[in-house]
Amino acid sequence: MAYDSAATKDRILAAASAEFAAYGVAGARVDRIAAAAEANKRAIYDYFGDKKALFAAVLERLMTELAEAVPPADDADLGAYAGALFEYHRAHPEALRLLLWEALEMGDEPVPEEATRTRHYLDKVAAAETALAGGGDDPKALLFFTMGLVGWSLSMPQLRRMVLGEDYSLDRLGAQVSAAVRAMAGERRDRPASSD
């Protein structure tokens, strides 16, 4: 049977994603990634370089999958975008963990592929501008706050439990996040038509 390098790369990325989500970059072990991917360590270094480069490849894949799964909304309903983002992260908790590890380990330093990832957010900023057409003046802040509400709500289960109570469902929380984003945006659909 012929060697399938694309399949091997996919297995390595999947194994690395799980390893980095569990241990971060510093705690991740290449030998565990190789074993989980059923590949040898040499293949990891040949395809991706060092461990930091592998982490960058994992994040690039994550951002691509996230952008495809939750594109910026074409309409002005940024609350719907927040709800879709909430559900994506709820179904894929490793994505938030990877971003949190990146923040913990890189701090304020530039992250891998930062310029490319920054451009990725420009479409979302444009969607936030559309949402703010009826009021407000800072679409970048609105997008940042939207992402913060989603991320914080899902990445802090202990605070969620202590503040909201053990019986506060994620379905209810997701709806509240969407409502909060709509309130921040002052979305036009909730306002009476202007008499101008």
PDB file of all heavy atoms in Angstrom, residues 50-71:
ATOM      1  N   ASP A  50       9.661  22.390  14.222  1.00  0.00           N
ATOM      2  CA  ASP A  50       9.678  22.184  15.671  1.00  0.00           C
ATOM      3  C   ASP A  50       8.269  22.217  16.264  1.00  0.00           C
ATOM      4  O   ASP A  50       7.278  22.402  15.563  1.00  0.00           O
ATOM      5  CB  ASP A  50      10.600  23.201  16.347  1.00  0.00           C
ATOM      6  CG  ASP A  50      10.122  24.640  16.192  1.00  0.00           C
ATOM      7  OD1 ASP A  50       8.966  24.868  15.761  1.00  0.00           O
ATOM      8  OD2 ASP A  50      10.904  25.542  16.518  1.00  0.00           O
ATOM      9  N   LYS A  51       8.217  22.056  17.573  1.00  0.00           N
ATOM     10  CA  LYS A  51       6.933  21.968  18.270  1.00  0.00           C
ATOM     11  C   LYS A  51       6.137  23.263  18.142  1.00  0.00           C
ATOM     12  O   LYS A  51       4.914  23.235  17.982  1.00  0.00           O
ATOM     13  CB  LYS A  51       7.190  21.617  19.745  1.00  0.00           C
ATOM     14  CG  LYS A  51       5.974  21.219  20.501  1.00  0.00           C
ATOM     15  CD  LYS A  51       6.263  20.521  21.830  1.00  0.00           C
ATOM     16  CE  LYS A  51       7.090  21.309  22.773  1.00  0.00           C
ATOM     17  NZ  LYS A  51       7.080  20.764  24.150  1.00  0.00           N
ATOM     18  N   LYS A  52       6.807  24.406  18.183  1.00  0.00           N
ATOM     19  CA  LYS A  52       6.094  25.682  18.042  1.00  0.00           C
ATOM     20  C   LYS A  52       5.507  25.830  16.642  1.00  0.00           C
ATOM     21  O   LYS A  52       4.397  26.347  16.476  1.00  0.00           O
ATOM     22  CB  LYS A  52       7.019  26.854  18.367  1.00  0.00           C
ATOM     23  CG  LYS A  52       7.277  27.010  19.842  1.00  0.00           C
ATOM     24  CD  LYS A  52       8.054  28.268  20.138  1.00  0.00           C
ATOM     25  CE  LYS A  52       8.243  28.411  21.635  1.00  0.00           C
ATOM     26  NZ  LYS A  52       8.957  29.628  21.997  1.00  0.00           N
ATOM     27  N   ALA A  53       6.233  25.362  15.640  1.00  0.00           N
ATOM     28  CA  ALA A  53       5.710  25.414  14.271  1.00  0.00           C
ATOM     29  C   ALA A  53       4.508  24.473  14.119  1.00  0.00           C
ATOM     30  O   ALA A  53       3.548  24.790  13.411  1.00  0.00           O
ATOM     31  CB  ALA A  53       6.798  25.067  13.268  1.00  0.00           C
ATOM     32  N   LEU A  54       4.557  23.339  14.792  1.00  0.00           N
ATOM     33  CA  LEU A  54       3.426  22.412  14.772  1.00  0.00           C
ATOM     34  C   LEU A  54       2.213  23.058  15.451  1.00  0.00           C
ATOM     35  O   LEU A  54       1.083  22.967  14.946  1.00  0.00           O
ATOM     36  CB  LEU A  54       3.793  21.098  15.458  1.00  0.00           C
ATOM     37  CG  LEU A  54       2.687  20.047  15.573  1.00  0.00           C
ATOM     38  CD1 LEU A  54       2.117  19.672  14.212  1.00  0.00           C
ATOM     39  CD2 LEU A  54       3.222  18.804  16.306  1.00  0.00           C
ATOM     40  N   PHE A  55       2.439  23.742  16.561  1.00  0.00           N
ATOM     41  CA  PHE A  55       1.347  24.445  17.245  1.00  0.00           C
ATOM     42  C   PHE A  55       0.744  25.512  16.329  1.00  0.00           C
ATOM     43  O   PHE A  55      -0.471  25.664  16.249  1.00  0.00           O
ATOM     44  CB  PHE A  55       1.855  25.070  18.546  1.00  0.00           C
ATOM     45  CG  PHE A  55       0.788  25.726  19.370  1.00  0.00           C
ATOM     46  CD1 PHE A  55      -0.211  24.977  19.963  1.00  0.00           C
ATOM     47  CD2 PHE A  55       0.783  27.096  19.572  1.00  0.00           C
ATOM     48  CE1 PHE A  55      -1.209  25.581  20.734  1.00  0.00           C
ATOM     49  CE2 PHE A  55      -0.196  27.707  20.336  1.00  0.00           C
ATOM     50  CZ  PHE A  55      -1.192  26.948  20.923  1.00  0.00           C
ATOM     51  N   ALA A  56       1.599  26.223  15.611  1.00  0.00           N
ATOM     52  CA  ALA A  56       1.122  27.239  14.664  1.00  0.00           C
ATOM     53  C   ALA A  56       0.267  26.595  13.576  1.00  0.00           C
ATOM     54  O   ALA A  56      -0.771  27.141  13.181  1.00  0.00           O
ATOM     55  CB  ALA A  56       2.291  27.990  14.041  1.00  0.00           C
ATOM     56  N   ALA A  57       0.670  25.426  13.086  1.00  0.00           N
ATOM     57  CA  ALA A  57      -0.105  24.722  12.058  1.00  0.00           C
ATOM     58  C   ALA A  57      -1.458  24.277  12.613  1.00  0.00           C
ATOM     59  O   ALA A  57      -2.477  24.340  11.917  1.00  0.00           O
ATOM     60  CB  ALA A  57       0.681  23.526  11.530  1.00  0.00           C
ATOM     61  N   VAL A  58      -1.470  23.831  13.870  1.00  0.00           N
ATOM     62  CA  VAL A  58      -2.720  23.438  14.513  1.00  0.00           C
ATOM     63  C   VAL A  58      -3.661  24.639  14.606  1.00  0.00           C
ATOM     64  O   VAL A  58      -4.853  24.546  14.293  1.00  0.00           O
ATOM     65  CB  VAL A  58      -2.452  22.827  15.909  1.00  0.00           C
ATOM     66  CG1 VAL A  58      -3.727  22.740  16.732  1.00  0.00           C
ATOM     67  CG2 VAL A  58      -1.816  21.451  15.767  1.00  0.00           C
ATOM     68  N   LEU A  59      -3.129  25.793  15.017  1.00  0.00           N
ATOM     69  CA  LEU A  59      -3.960  26.993  15.134  1.00  0.00           C
ATOM     70  C   LEU A  59      -4.448  27.477  13.767  1.00  0.00           C
ATOM     71  O   LEU A  59      -5.592  27.916  13.640  1.00  0.00           O
ATOM     72  CB  LEU A  59      -3.202  28.100  15.851  1.00  0.00           C
ATOM     73  CG  LEU A  59      -3.096  27.920  17.361  1.00  0.00           C
ATOM     74  CD1 LEU A  59      -2.194  28.984  17.963  1.00  0.00           C
ATOM     75  CD2 LEU A  59      -4.452  27.946  18.026  1.00  0.00           C
ATOM     76  N   GLU A  60      -3.596  27.369  12.768  1.00  0.00           N
ATOM     77  CA  GLU A  60      -4.017  27.764  11.413  1.00  0.00           C
ATOM     78  C   GLU A  60      -5.187  26.897  10.953  1.00  0.00           C
ATOM     79  O   GLU A  60      -6.170  27.395  10.397  1.00  0.00           O
ATOM     80  CB  GLU A  60      -2.843  27.647  10.448  1.00  0.00           C
ATOM     81  CG  GLU A  60      -3.188  28.057   9.034  1.00  0.00           C
ATOM     82  CD  GLU A  60      -2.009  27.916   8.083  1.00  0.00           C
ATOM     83  OE1 GLU A  60      -0.863  27.761   8.539  1.00  0.00           O
ATOM     84  OE2 GLU A  60      -2.263  27.957   6.870  1.00  0.00           O
ATOM     85  N   ARG A  61      -5.092  25.616  11.192  1.00  0.00           N
ATOM     86  CA  ARG A  61      -6.178  24.700  10.828  1.00  0.00           C
ATOM     87  C   ARG A  61      -7.446  25.038  11.619  1.00  0.00           C
ATOM     88  O   ARG A  61      -8.549  25.062  11.070  1.00  0.00           O
ATOM     89  CB  ARG A  61      -5.737  23.261  11.099  1.00  0.00           C
ATOM     90  CG  ARG A  61      -6.746  22.219  10.698  1.00  0.00           C
ATOM     91  CD  ARG A  61      -6.196  20.849  10.982  1.00  0.00           C
ATOM     92  NE  ARG A  61      -7.095  19.818  10.526  1.00  0.00           N
ATOM     93  CZ  ARG A  61      -6.850  18.534  10.646  1.00  0.00           C
ATOM     94  NH1 ARG A  61      -5.728  18.115  11.171  1.00  0.00           N
ATOM     95  NH2 ARG A  61      -7.715  17.648  10.230  1.00  0.00           N
ATOM     96  N   LEU A  62      -7.271  25.301  12.908  1.00  0.00           N
ATOM     97  CA  LEU A  62      -8.399  25.676  13.755  1.00  0.00           C
ATOM     98  C   LEU A  62      -9.100  26.916  13.228  1.00  0.00           C
ATOM     99  O   LEU A  62     -10.331  26.951  13.117  1.00  0.00           O
ATOM    100  CB  LEU A  62      -7.911  25.926  15.187  1.00  0.00           C
ATOM    101  CG  LEU A  62      -8.840  26.710  16.114  1.00  0.00           C
ATOM    102  CD1 LEU A  62     -10.042  25.879  16.503  1.00  0.00           C
ATOM    103  CD2 LEU A  62      -8.097  27.187  17.340  1.00  0.00           C
ATOM    104  N   MET A  63      -8.333  27.946  12.885  1.00  0.00           N
ATOM    105  CA  MET A  63      -8.932  29.192  12.415  1.00  0.00           C
ATOM    106  C   MET A  63      -9.649  28.996  11.076  1.00  0.00           C
ATOM    107  O   MET A  63     -10.705  29.577  10.848  1.00  0.00           O
ATOM    108  CB  MET A  63      -7.866  30.281  12.296  1.00  0.00           C
ATOM    109  CG  MET A  63      -7.190  30.647  13.618  1.00  0.00           C
ATOM    110  SD  MET A  63      -8.329  31.044  14.948  1.00  0.00           S
ATOM    111  CE  MET A  63      -8.947  32.613  14.390  1.00  0.00           C
ATOM    112  N   THR A  64      -9.086  28.152  10.222  1.00  0.00           N
ATOM    113  CA  THR A  64      -9.729  27.860   8.934  1.00  0.00           C
ATOM    114  C   THR A  64     -11.060  27.145   9.150  1.00  0.00           C
ATOM    115  O   THR A  64     -12.083  27.505   8.555  1.00  0.00           O
ATOM    116  CB  THR A  64      -8.791  26.999   8.059  1.00  0.00           C
ATOM    117  OG1 THR A  64      -7.596  27.736   7.822  1.00  0.00           O
ATOM    118  CG2 THR A  64      -9.448  26.634   6.742  1.00  0.00           C
ATOM    119  N   GLU A  65     -11.054  26.128  10.017  1.00  0.00           N
ATOM    120  CA  GLU A  65     -12.281  25.380  10.293  1.00  0.00           C
ATOM    121  C   GLU A  65     -13.330  26.271  10.939  1.00  0.00           C
ATOM    122  O   GLU A  65     -14.515  26.208  10.596  1.00  0.00           O
ATOM    123  CB  GLU A  65     -11.973  24.178  11.192  1.00  0.00           C
ATOM    124  CG  GLU A  65     -11.182  23.098  10.486  1.00  0.00           C
ATOM    125  CD  GLU A  65     -10.704  21.995  11.420  1.00  0.00           C
ATOM    126  OE1 GLU A  65     -10.899  22.111  12.660  1.00  0.00           O
ATOM    127  OE2 GLU A  65     -10.127  21.012  10.918  1.00  0.00           O
ATOM    128  N   LEU A  66     -12.903  27.130  11.862  1.00  0.00           N
ATOM    129  CA  LEU A  66     -13.830  28.033  12.539  1.00  0.00           C
ATOM    130  C   LEU A  66     -14.436  29.032  11.554  1.00  0.00           C
ATOM    131  O   LEU A  66     -15.640  29.279  11.562  1.00  0.00           O
ATOM    132  CB  LEU A  66     -13.105  28.763  13.670  1.00  0.00           C
ATOM    133  CG  LEU A  66     -13.890  29.801  14.454  1.00  0.00           C
ATOM    134  CD1 LEU A  66     -15.154  29.219  15.057  1.00  0.00           C
ATOM    135  CD2 LEU A  66     -13.015  30.408  15.534  1.00  0.00           C
ATOM    136  N   ALA A  67     -13.591  29.586  10.675  1.00  0.00           N
ATOM    137  CA  ALA A  67     -14.088  30.559   9.684  1.00  0.00           C
ATOM    138  C   ALA A  67     -15.091  29.919   8.735  1.00  0.00           C
ATOM    139  O   ALA A  67     -16.066  30.560   8.330  1.00  0.00           O
ATOM    140  CB  ALA A  67     -12.923  31.147   8.900  1.00  0.00           C
ATOM    141  N   GLU A  68     -14.872  28.656   8.376  1.00  0.00           N
ATOM    142  CA  GLU A  68     -15.807  27.958   7.498  1.00  0.00           C
ATOM    143  C   GLU A  68     -17.102  27.609   8.221  1.00  0.00           C
ATOM    144  O   GLU A  68     -18.188  27.697   7.650  1.00  0.00           O
ATOM    145  CB  GLU A  68     -15.165  26.685   6.942  1.00  0.00           C
ATOM    146  CG  GLU A  68     -14.052  26.964   5.947  1.00  0.00           C
ATOM    147  CD  GLU A  68     -13.277  25.719   5.554  1.00  0.00           C
ATOM    148  OE1 GLU A  68     -13.573  24.618   6.063  1.00  0.00           O
ATOM    149  OE2 GLU A  68     -12.351  25.855   4.733  1.00  0.00           O
ATOM    150  N   ALA A  69     -16.988  27.235   9.489  1.00  0.00           N
ATOM    151  CA  ALA A  69     -18.167  26.811  10.248  1.00  0.00           C
ATOM    152  C   ALA A  69     -19.023  27.997  10.702  1.00  0.00           C
ATOM    153  O   ALA A  69     -20.245  27.888  10.766  1.00  0.00           O
ATOM    154  CB  ALA A  69     -17.736  25.989  11.464  1.00  0.00           C
ATOM    155  N   VAL A  70     -18.362  29.112  11.025  1.00  0.00           N
ATOM    156  CA  VAL A  70     -19.077  30.286  11.549  1.00  0.00           C
ATOM    157  C   VAL A  70     -18.604  31.518  10.785  1.00  0.00           C
ATOM    158  O   VAL A  70     -17.819  32.319  11.294  1.00  0.00           O
ATOM    159  CB  VAL A  70     -18.834  30.463  13.064  1.00  0.00           C
ATOM    160  CG1 VAL A  70     -19.755  31.544  13.627  1.00  0.00           C
ATOM    161  CG2 VAL A  70     -19.029  29.165  13.815  1.00  0.00           C
ATOM    162  N   PRO A  71     -19.074  31.680   9.550  1.00  0.00           N
ATOM    163  CA  PRO A  71     -18.677  32.870   8.788  1.00  0.00           C
ATOM    164  C   PRO A  71     -19.360  34.106   9.361  1.00  0.00           C
ATOM    165  O   PRO A  71     -20.379  33.991  10.043  1.00  0.00           O
ATOM    166  CB  PRO A  71     -19.170  32.576   7.374  1.00  0.00           C
ATOM    167  CG  PRO A  71     -20.303  31.623   7.568  1.00  0.00           C
ATOM    168  CD  PRO A  71     -19.973  30.819   8.804  1.00  0.00           C
TER     169      PRO A  71
END
